[in-house]
Coordinates of all heavy atoms in Angstrom, one line a residue:
M1 N 15.9 22.6 -28.2 CA 16.3 22.0 -26.9 C 16.4 20.5 -27.2 O 15.6 19.9 -27.7 CB 15.2 22.4 -26.0 CG 15.5 21.7 -24.5 SD 14.4 22.2 -23.4 CE 14.6 23.9 -23.0
W2 N 17.5 20.0 -26.6 CA 17.9 18.6 -26.7 C 17.4 17.8 -25.4 O 17.5 18.4 -24.3 CB 19.3 18.3 -26.8 CG 19.8 18.9 -28.1 CD1 20.3 19.9 -28.5 CD2 19.9 18.0 -29.4 NE1 20.7 20.1 -29.7 CE2 20.4 18.9 -30.3 CE3 19.6 16.7 -29.7 CZ2 20.6 18.5 -31.6 CZ3 19.6 16.4 -31.0 CH2 20.2 17.3 -32.0
Y3 N 16.9 16.6 -25.6 CA 16.4 15.8 -24.5 C 17.5 14.6 -24.3 O 17.6 14.0 -25.2 CB 15.0 15.3 -24.7 CG 14.7 14.3 -23.6 CD1 14.4 14.7 -22.3 CD2 14.5 13.0 -23.9 CE1 14.0 13.7 -21.4 CE2 14.3 12.1 -22.9 CZ 14.1 12.5 -21.5 OH 13.5 11.5 -20.7
I4 N 18.0 14.6 -23.2 CA 19.0 13.5 -22.8 C 18.5 12.7 -21.7 O 18.3 13.2 -20.6 CB 20.4 14.2 -22.5 CG1 20.9 15.0 -23.6 CG2 21.3 12.9 -22.1 CD1 22.2 15.7 -23.2
P5 N 18.1 11.5 -22.1 CA 17.4 10.6 -20.9 C 18.4 10.3 -19.9 O 19.6 10.2 -20.3 CB 17.0 9.4 -21.8 CG 17.8 9.3 -23.0 CD 18.1 10.8 -23.3
D6 N 17.9 10.2 -18.7 CA 18.7 9.9 -17.6 C 18.8 8.3 -17.5 O 17.8 7.7 -17.1 CB 18.1 10.4 -16.3 CG 18.9 10.2 -15.0 OD1 19.9 9.4 -15.1 OD2 18.6 10.8 -14.0
A7 N 19.9 7.8 -18.0 CA 20.1 6.4 -18.0 C 20.1 5.6 -16.7 O 19.5 4.6 -16.5 CB 21.4 6.1 -18.7
S8 N 20.6 6.4 -15.8 CA 20.6 5.7 -14.2 C 19.2 5.7 -13.8 O 18.9 4.7 -13.1 CB 21.5 6.5 -13.4 OG 21.0 7.9 -13.2
L9 N 18.4 6.6 -14.0 CA 16.9 6.7 -13.7 C 16.2 5.5 -14.3 O 15.5 4.8 -13.7 CB 16.3 8.0 -13.8 CG 14.9 8.1 -13.5 CD1 14.7 7.9 -11.9 CD2 14.3 9.4 -13.9
H10 N 16.4 5.4 -15.7 CA 15.8 4.4 -16.4 C 16.3 2.9 -15.9 O 15.4 2.0 -15.7 CB 16.1 4.5 -17.9 CG 15.5 3.4 -18.7 ND1 14.1 3.4 -18.9 CD2 16.0 2.3 -19.4 CE1 13.8 2.2 -19.7 NE2 15.1 1.6 -20.0
A11 N 17.5 2.7 -15.6 CA 18.0 1.5 -15.1 C 17.4 1.1 -13.8 O 17.1 0.1 -13.5 CB 19.6 1.5 -15.1
A12 N 17.3 2.1 -12.9 CA 16.8 2.0 -11.7 C 15.3 1.6 -11.7 O 14.8 0.7 -10.9 CB 16.9 3.2 -10.6
A13 N 14.6 2.2 -12.6 CA 13.1 1.9 -12.7 C 12.8 0.5 -13.2 O 11.9 -0.1 -12.9 CB 12.5 3.0 -13.6
S14 N 13.8 0.0 -14.1 CA 13.5 -1.2 -14.7 C 14.2 -2.4 -14.0 O 14.0 -3.5 -14.4 CB 13.8 -1.2 -16.2 OG 15.3 -1.0 -16.3
A15 N 15.0 -2.2 -13.0 CA 15.8 -3.2 -12.4 C 15.1 -4.2 -11.6 O 15.2 -5.4 -11.8 CB 16.9 -2.6 -11.5
K16 N 14.2 -3.8 -10.8 CA 13.4 -4.7 -9.9 C 12.2 -4.0 -9.4 O 12.1 -2.8 -9.5 CB 14.3 -5.3 -8.8 CG 14.8 -4.2 -8.0 CD 15.7 -5.0 -6.8 CE 16.3 -3.9 -6.0 NZ 17.1 -4.4 -4.9
P17 N 11.2 -4.8 -9.0 CA 9.9 -4.1 -8.4 C 10.3 -3.2 -7.2 O 11.2 -3.5 -6.5 CB 9.2 -5.3 -7.9 CG 9.7 -6.5 -8.8 CD 11.2 -6.2 -9.0
T18 N 9.4 -2.2 -7.1 CA 9.7 -1.3 -5.9 C 9.2 -1.9 -4.7 O 8.5 -2.9 -4.7 CB 8.9 0.1 -6.3 OG1 7.5 -0.3 -6.3 CG2 9.4 0.8 -7.4
P19 N 9.8 -1.5 -3.6 CA 9.3 -2.1 -2.4 C 7.9 -2.1 -2.1 O 7.3 -3.1 -1.6 CB 10.0 -1.2 -1.2 CG 11.2 -0.7 -2.0 CD 10.9 -0.5 -3.4
P20 N 7.0 -1.0 -2.4 CA 5.6 -1.2 -2.2 C 5.0 -2.4 -3.0 O 4.1 -3.0 -2.6 CB 5.1 0.3 -2.8 CG 6.2 1.1 -2.5 CD 7.4 0.3 -2.8
R21 N 5.5 -2.6 -4.3 CA 5.0 -3.7 -5.1 C 5.3 -5.1 -4.4 O 4.5 -6.0 -4.4 CB 5.5 -3.7 -6.4 CG 4.9 -2.5 -7.3 CD 4.9 -2.8 -8.7 NE 4.5 -1.6 -9.5 CZ 3.2 -1.6 -9.9 NH1 2.3 -2.5 -9.6 NH2 2.8 -0.5 -10.6
L22 N 6.6 -5.1 -3.9 CA 7.0 -6.3 -3.2 C 6.1 -6.6 -2.0 O 5.8 -7.6 -1.7 CB 8.4 -6.2 -2.8 CG 9.4 -6.2 -3.8 CD1 10.9 -6.0 -3.4 CD2 9.5 -7.5 -4.7
A23 N 5.8 -5.5 -1.2 CA 5.0 -5.6 -0.1 C 3.6 -6.1 -0.5 O 2.9 -7.0 0.1 CB 4.9 -4.3 0.8
Q24 N 3.0 -5.5 -1.5 CA 1.7 -5.9 -2.0 C 1.7 -7.3 -2.4 O 0.7 -8.1 -2.1 CB 1.2 -5.0 -3.2 CG 1.0 -3.5 -2.8 CD 0.7 -2.8 -4.1 OE1 0.8 -3.2 -5.2 NE2 0.4 -1.4 -3.8
T25 N 2.6 -7.9 -3.1 CA 2.9 -9.2 -3.5 C 2.8 -10.1 -2.3 O 2.2 -11.1 -2.2 CB 4.0 -9.4 -4.4 OG1 4.0 -8.6 -5.5 CG2 4.2 -10.8 -4.8
K26 N 3.6 -9.7 -1.2 CA 3.7 -10.6 0.0 C 2.3 -10.6 0.6 O 1.9 -11.7 1.1 CB 4.8 -10.1 0.8 CG 4.9 -10.9 2.2 CD 6.2 -11.5 2.3 CE 6.2 -12.3 3.5 NZ 7.4 -12.8 3.9
I27 N 1.7 -9.4 0.8 CA 0.5 -9.4 1.5 C -0.6 -10.3 0.8 O -1.4 -10.9 1.3 CB 0.0 -7.9 1.6 CG1 0.8 -7.2 2.6 CG2 -1.6 -7.9 2.1 CD1 0.6 -5.7 2.6
R28 N -0.6 -10.0 -0.5 CA -1.6 -10.8 -1.3 C -1.4 -12.3 -1.4 O -2.2 -13.1 -1.6 CB -1.6 -10.4 -2.8 CG -2.3 -9.0 -2.9 CD -2.4 -8.5 -4.2 NE -3.2 -7.3 -4.2 CZ -2.8 -6.2 -4.8 NH1 -1.6 -6.1 -5.6 NH2 -3.5 -5.0 -4.7
S29 N -0.1 -12.8 -1.1 CA 0.2 -14.2 -1.0 C -0.3 -14.9 0.3 O -0.2 -16.1 0.4 CB 1.7 -14.4 -1.1 OG 2.3 -14.0 0.0
E30 N -0.7 -14.1 1.2 CA -1.2 -14.6 2.5 C -0.2 -15.4 3.3 O -0.5 -16.3 4.1 CB -2.5 -15.4 2.4 CG -3.6 -14.5 1.8 CD -4.9 -15.4 1.7 OE1 -5.0 -16.5 2.2 OE2 -5.9 -14.9 1.0
Q31 N 1.1 -15.1 3.1 CA 2.2 -15.8 3.9 C 2.9 -14.8 4.7 O 4.0 -14.6 4.6 CB 3.1 -16.5 2.9 CG 2.5 -17.5 1.9 CD 3.5 -18.0 0.8 OE1 4.6 -17.4 0.8 NE2 3.1 -18.8 0.1
L32 N 2.1 -14.3 5.7 CA 2.6 -13.2 6.5 C 3.0 -13.8 8.0 O 2.2 -14.6 8.5 CB 1.7 -12.1 6.8 CG 1.2 -11.4 5.5 CD1 0.2 -10.3 5.9 CD2 2.4 -10.7 4.8
N33 N 4.1 -13.4 8.5 CA 4.3 -13.8 9.8 C 3.6 -12.8 10.9 O 3.2 -11.8 10.4 CB 5.8 -13.9 10.1 CG 6.6 -12.6 10.0 OD1 6.1 -11.7 10.4 ND2 7.8 -12.8 9.4
T34 N 3.7 -13.1 12.2 CA 3.0 -12.2 13.1 C 3.6 -10.8 13.1 O 2.7 -9.9 13.2 CB 3.4 -12.8 14.5 OG1 2.9 -14.3 14.5 CG2 2.7 -12.1 15.6
S35 N 4.8 -10.6 13.0 CA 5.4 -9.2 13.0 C 5.0 -8.4 11.7 O 4.7 -7.2 11.8 CB 6.8 -9.2 13.1 OG 7.5 -9.8 12.1
E36 N 4.8 -9.1 10.6 CA 4.4 -8.4 9.4 C 2.8 -8.1 9.6 O 2.5 -7.1 9.2 CB 4.6 -9.3 8.2 CG 6.1 -9.5 7.8 CD 6.3 -10.7 6.8 OE1 5.5 -11.7 6.9 OE2 7.4 -10.6 6.1
R37 N 2.1 -9.0 10.2 CA 0.8 -8.7 10.4 C 0.6 -7.5 11.4 O -0.3 -6.7 11.3 CB -0.1 -9.9 11.0 CG -0.1 -11.0 10.0 CD -0.8 -12.2 10.6 NE -0.7 -13.4 9.7 CZ -1.8 -13.9 9.1 NH1 -2.9 -13.5 9.3 NH2 -1.5 -14.9 8.3
D38 N 1.4 -7.5 12.4 CA 1.4 -6.3 13.4 C 1.7 -5.0 12.5 O 1.0 -4.0 12.8 CB 2.5 -6.5 14.5 CG 2.1 -7.6 15.3 OD1 0.9 -8.1 15.4 OD2 2.9 -8.0 16.1
V39 N 2.6 -5.0 11.7 CA 3.0 -3.8 11.0 C 1.7 -3.4 10.1 O 1.4 -2.2 10.0 CB 4.2 -4.0 10.0 CG1 4.3 -2.9 8.9 CG2 5.4 -4.2 10.8
I40 N 1.0 -4.3 9.5 CA -0.2 -4.0 8.7 C -1.2 -3.3 9.6 O -1.9 -2.5 9.2 CB -0.6 -5.2 8.0 CG1 0.4 -5.6 6.8 CG2 -2.0 -4.9 7.3 CD1 0.2 -6.8 6.1
A41 N -1.5 -3.9 10.8 CA -2.4 -3.4 11.8 C -2.0 -2.0 12.1 O -2.9 -1.2 12.3 CB -2.4 -4.4 13.0
D42 N -0.7 -1.7 12.3 CA -0.3 -0.3 12.7 C -0.6 0.5 11.5 O -1.1 1.6 11.8 CB 1.2 -0.4 12.9 CG 1.5 -1.1 14.2 OD1 0.5 -1.3 15.1 OD2 2.7 -1.4 14.5
L43 N -0.4 0.1 10.3 CA -0.8 1.0 9.1 C -2.2 1.2 9.1 O -2.6 2.4 8.7 CB -0.4 0.2 7.8 CG 1.1 0.2 7.5 CD1 1.3 -0.7 6.3 CD2 1.6 1.6 7.3
F44 N -3.1 0.3 9.5 CA -4.5 0.6 9.4 C -4.9 1.6 10.6 O -5.7 2.4 10.3 CB -5.3 -0.8 9.7 CG -5.7 -1.4 8.4 CD1 -4.9 -2.3 7.8 CD2 -7.0 -1.1 7.9 CE1 -5.4 -2.9 6.6 CE2 -7.4 -1.6 6.7 CZ -6.7 -2.5 6.1
A45 N -4.0 1.5 11.7 CA -4.4 2.5 12.7 C -4.0 3.9 12.3 O -4.7 4.9 12.5 CB -3.6 2.2 14.0
V46 N -2.9 4.0 11.5 CA -2.6 5.3 11.0 C -3.6 5.7 9.9 O -4.0 6.9 10.0 CB -1.2 5.3 10.3 CG1 -0.8 6.5 9.5 CG2 -0.1 5.0 11.4
L47 N -4.1 4.8 9.2 CA -5.1 5.2 8.1 C -6.3 5.6 8.7 O -7.0 6.6 8.4 CB -5.3 4.1 7.1 CG -4.3 3.7 6.2 CD1 -4.5 2.4 5.4 CD2 -4.2 4.9 5.2
E48 N -6.7 4.9 9.9 CA -7.9 5.3 10.5 C -7.9 6.6 11.1 O -8.8 7.4 11.1 CB -8.1 4.3 11.7 CG -9.5 4.5 12.4 CD -9.8 3.5 13.5 OE1 -8.9 2.7 13.9 OE2 -10.9 3.3 13.8
S49 N -6.7 7.0 11.7 CA -6.5 8.4 12.1 C -6.7 9.5 11.1 O -7.3 10.5 11.3 CB -5.3 8.5 13.0 OG -4.2 8.4 12.1
L50 N -6.1 9.1 9.9 CA -6.3 10.1 8.8 C -7.7 10.1 8.3 O -8.2 11.2 7.9 CB -5.4 9.7 7.7 CG -3.9 9.7 7.9 CD1 -3.1 9.1 6.8 CD2 -3.5 11.2 8.1
V51 N -8.5 9.0 8.3 CA -9.8 9.1 8.0 C -10.6 9.9 8.9 O -11.4 10.7 8.6 CB -10.4 7.5 8.0 CG1 -12.0 7.6 7.9 CG2 -9.9 6.8 6.7
L52 N -10.4 9.7 10.2 CA -11.1 10.5 11.2 C -10.8 12.0 11.1 O -11.6 12.8 11.4 CB -10.7 10.1 12.7 CG -11.3 8.6 13.0 CD1 -10.8 8.3 14.4 CD2 -12.8 8.6 12.9
R53 N -9.7 12.3 10.7 CA -9.3 13.8 10.5 C -9.6 14.3 9.1 O -9.4 15.4 8.7 CB -7.8 14.0 10.8 CG -7.5 13.8 12.2 CD -6.1 14.2 12.5 NE -5.1 13.8 11.6 CZ -4.0 13.0 11.8 NH1 -3.7 12.7 13.1 NH2 -3.1 12.7 11.0
E54 N -10.2 13.3 8.2 CA -10.6 13.7 6.9 C -9.3 14.1 6.1 O -9.5 15.2 5.3 CB -11.7 14.6 6.8 CG -13.0 14.1 7.4 CD -14.1 15.0 7.4 OE1 -14.0 16.1 6.8 OE2 -15.3 14.7 7.9
E55 N -8.3 13.5 6.2 CA -7.0 13.9 5.5 C -6.5 12.8 4.5 O -5.5 13.0 3.8 CB -5.9 14.0 6.5 CG -6.2 15.2 7.6 CD -5.0 15.3 8.5 OE1 -4.0 14.6 8.4 OE2 -5.1 16.2 9.3
L56 N -7.4 11.9 4.1 CA -7.1 10.9 3.1 C -7.6 11.4 1.7 O -8.8 11.9 1.7 CB -7.7 9.6 3.4 CG -6.8 8.6 4.2 CD1 -7.6 7.2 4.3 CD2 -5.4 8.3 3.6
P57 N -7.0 11.3 0.7 CA -7.6 11.6 -0.7 C -8.7 10.7 -0.9 O -8.8 9.6 -0.3 CB -6.4 11.3 -1.7 CG -5.2 11.3 -0.9 CD -5.5 10.9 0.6
A58 N -9.7 11.0 -1.7 CA -10.9 10.2 -1.9 C -10.6 8.8 -2.4 O -11.3 7.7 -1.9 CB -11.8 10.9 -3.0
E59 N -9.6 8.6 -3.3 CA -9.3 7.2 -3.7 C -8.8 6.4 -2.6 O -9.2 5.3 -2.5 CB -8.3 7.3 -4.8 CG -7.9 5.9 -5.3 CD -6.8 6.0 -6.5 OE1 -6.3 7.1 -6.8 OE2 -6.6 5.0 -7.0
A60 N -7.9 6.9 -1.8 CA -7.5 6.2 -0.6 C -8.6 5.9 0.4 O -8.6 4.8 1.0 CB -6.3 6.8 0.1
Q61 N -9.4 6.9 0.6 CA -10.5 6.6 1.5 C -11.5 5.5 1.0 O -11.8 4.7 1.8 CB -11.4 7.9 1.6 CG -12.7 7.8 2.3 CD -12.5 7.9 3.9 OE1 -11.8 8.6 4.3 NE2 -13.1 6.9 4.4
G62 N -11.7 5.4 -0.3 CA -12.4 4.4 -0.9 C -11.8 3.0 -0.6 O -12.5 2.0 -0.2
I63 N -10.5 2.9 -0.8 CA -9.7 1.6 -0.7 C -9.8 1.3 0.8 O -10.1 0.1 1.1 CB -8.4 1.8 -1.1 CG1 -8.4 2.0 -2.7 CG2 -7.5 0.5 -0.8 CD1 -7.0 2.3 -3.3
Y64 N -9.6 2.3 1.7 CA -9.6 1.9 3.2 C -11.0 1.4 3.5 O -11.2 0.4 4.2 CB -9.2 3.2 3.9 CG -9.6 3.0 5.5 CD1 -8.6 2.4 6.2 CD2 -10.7 3.5 6.0 CE1 -8.7 2.3 7.6 CE2 -10.9 3.4 7.4 CZ -10.0 2.8 8.2 OH -10.1 2.6 9.5
D65 N -12.1 2.1 3.1 CA -13.5 1.8 3.4 C -13.7 0.3 2.8 O -14.3 -0.5 3.6 CB -14.5 2.7 2.8 CG -14.5 4.0 3.5 OD1 -13.9 4.2 4.5 OD2 -15.0 5.0 2.9
Q66 N -13.2 0.0 1.7 CA -13.5 -1.4 1.1 C -12.8 -2.4 2.0 O -13.3 -3.5 2.3 CB -13.0 -1.5 -0.2 CG -13.1 -2.7 -1.0 CD -12.7 -2.6 -2.5 OE1 -11.8 -1.8 -2.8 NE2 -13.1 -3.7 -3.3
A67 N -11.5 -2.2 2.4 CA -10.7 -3.1 3.1 C -11.4 -3.3 4.6 O -11.5 -4.5 5.0 CB -9.3 -2.6 3.5
V68 N -11.9 -2.2 5.2 CA -12.6 -2.3 6.5 C -13.9 -3.1 6.4 O -14.0 -4.2 7.2 CB -12.8 -1.0 7.1 CG1 -13.7 -1.2 8.3 CG2 -11.6 -0.3 7.5
L69 N -14.7 -3.0 5.3 CA -15.8 -3.8 5.0 C -15.5 -5.2 4.8 O -16.1 -6.1 5.3 CB -16.6 -3.2 3.8 CG -17.3 -1.9 4.1 CD1 -17.9 -1.4 2.7 CD2 -18.4 -2.2 5.1
M70 N -14.4 -5.6 4.1 CA -14.1 -7.0 3.9 C -13.6 -7.6 5.1 O -14.0 -8.7 5.3 CB -12.9 -7.0 2.7 CG -13.4 -6.9 1.3 SD -12.1 -7.3 0.3 CE -11.7 -5.7 -0.5
L71 N -12.9 -6.9 5.9 CA -12.4 -7.5 7.2 C -13.6 -7.7 8.2 O -13.6 -8.7 8.8 CB -11.3 -6.6 7.9 CG -10.0 -6.6 7.1 CD1 -9.2 -5.4 7.8 CD2 -9.3 -7.9 7.2
A72 N -14.5 -6.7 8.1 CA -15.6 -7.0 9.0 C -16.5 -8.1 8.6 O -17.0 -8.9 9.4 CB -16.5 -5.6 9.0
R73 N -16.7 -8.4 7.3 CA -17.4 -9.5 6.7 C -16.8 -10.8 7.1 O -17.3 -11.8 7.4 CB -17.5 -9.4 5.3 CG -18.7 -8.5 4.8 CD -18.9 -8.6 3.3 NE -19.2 -7.3 2.8 CZ -18.7 -6.7 1.7 NH1 -17.7 -7.3 1.1 NH2 -19.1 -5.5 1.5
R74 N -15.4 -10.8 7.0 CA -14.7 -11.9 7.4 C -14.8 -12.4 8.8 O -14.8 -13.6 9.2 CB -13.1 -11.7 7.0 CG -12.3 -12.9 7.1 CD -10.9 -12.6 6.6 NE -10.1 -13.7 6.5 CZ -9.0 -13.8 5.9 NH1 -8.4 -12.7 5.6 NH2 -8.4 -14.9 5.8
E75 N -15.0 -11.4 9.7 CA -15.3 -11.8 11.1 C -16.7 -12.3 11.4 O -16.8 -13.1 12.4 CB -14.9 -10.6 12.0 CG -13.5 -10.2 12.2 CD -13.2 -9.1 13.2 OE1 -14.2 -8.8 13.9 OE2 -12.0 -8.6 13.2
A76 N -17.4 -11.8 10.7 CA -18.9 -12.2 10.9 C -19.2 -13.7 10.5 O -18.5 -14.5 10.0 CB -19.9 -11.3 10.0

């Protein structure tokens, strides 16, 4: 059996960072405008509903818990 790599898939994968990575970079840079902060708050609301229904994978649950603890410490 011959393996023929998909050149278009390889080119797309190496062309530029994926949108989630771009979003992570922007969030980590702390240069968010109000609407971007609102979107992140909405994402936390969705995550919270998944947590309450116990529908998050364990790794995601751990990351969510860590984020909530960090935000709680920041307010204190």
Side-chain angles (χ1 to χ4, degrees):
M1 179 179 289
W2 292 91
Y3 173 72
I4 301 172
D6 185 346
S8 62
L9 180 62
H10 177 70
S14 63
K16 59 183 175 180
T18 61
R21 290 203 186 266
L22 291 173
Q24 289 173 359
T25 301
K26 177 116 185 197
I27 291 166
R28 289 186 173 126
S29 73
E30 297 181 13
Q31 297 175 357
L32 301 176
N33 64 38
T34 302
S35 63
E36 291 166 333
R37 290 174 193 252
D38 289 344
V39 168
I40 292 170
D42 291 345
L43 285 172
F44 266 90
V46 170
L47 287 171
E48 183 177 18
S49 69
L50 292 172
V51 166
L52 293 173
R53 293 189 314 235
E54 297 180 2
E55 295 181 1
L56 272 182
E59 181 182 4
Q61 173 76 46
I63 293 169
Y64 171 82
D65 291 343
Q66 183 181 21
V68 169
L69 286 173
M70 281 192 248
L71 290 170
R73 281 189 214 128
R74 192 171 185 175
E75 284 187 14

